[in-house]
């Protein structure tokens, strides 16, 4: 259930966000997008499992770093 339905549903949301960014030419399409989805999903789960949900600045910084990398190709 968790791996077959829940995680893919969460990843689809991120993939839609990245797809819009690709369409608007904000980021480059490619395998790095898959890596970005995995990294952000993993980071989110780490925060949830360790009950560290209050520090949103870390999440914002991680997203900024990942998007910067996707923009550079």
């Amino acid at each position: 259930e968790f791996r077959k339905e829940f995680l893919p549903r969460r990843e689809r949301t991120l993939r839609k966000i990245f797809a819009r960014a690709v369409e608007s030419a904000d980021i480059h399409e490619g395998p790095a997008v898959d890596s970005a989805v995995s990294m952000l999903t993993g980071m989110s789960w780490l925060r949830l499992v360790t009950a560290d949900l209050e520090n949103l600045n870390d999440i914002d910084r991680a997203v900024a770093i990942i998007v910067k990398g996707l923009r550079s190709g």
Side-chain angles (χ1 to χ4, degrees):
E1 169 79 25
F2 182 75
R3 279 189 271 174
K4 287 184 178 183
E5 292 184 29
F6 186 78
L7 280 179
R9 196 168 47 235
R10 300 301 247 173
E11 288 179 346
R12 267 194 304 276
T13 300
L14 284 171
R15 290 184 192 286
K16 286 179 185 177
I17 292 168
F18 284 124
R20 285 194 301 261
V22 167
E23 287 174 11
S24 64
D26 288 330
I27 63 172
H28 300 284
E29 187 173 16
V33 172
D34 291 329
S35 296
V37 168
S38 294
M39 285 189 279
L40 290 172
T41 300
M43 190 179 108
S44 296
W45 279 100
L46 175 64
R47 298 283 180 191
L48 181 64
V49 169
T50 60
D52 185 17
L53 299 173
E54 296 187 22
N55 193 350
L56 296 178
N57 290 330
D58 283 351
I59 295 169
D60 290 343
R61 281 192 291 273
V63 169
I65 290 166
I66 289 169
V67 169
K68 184 176 179 181
L70 291 173
R71 284 183 176 155
S72 68

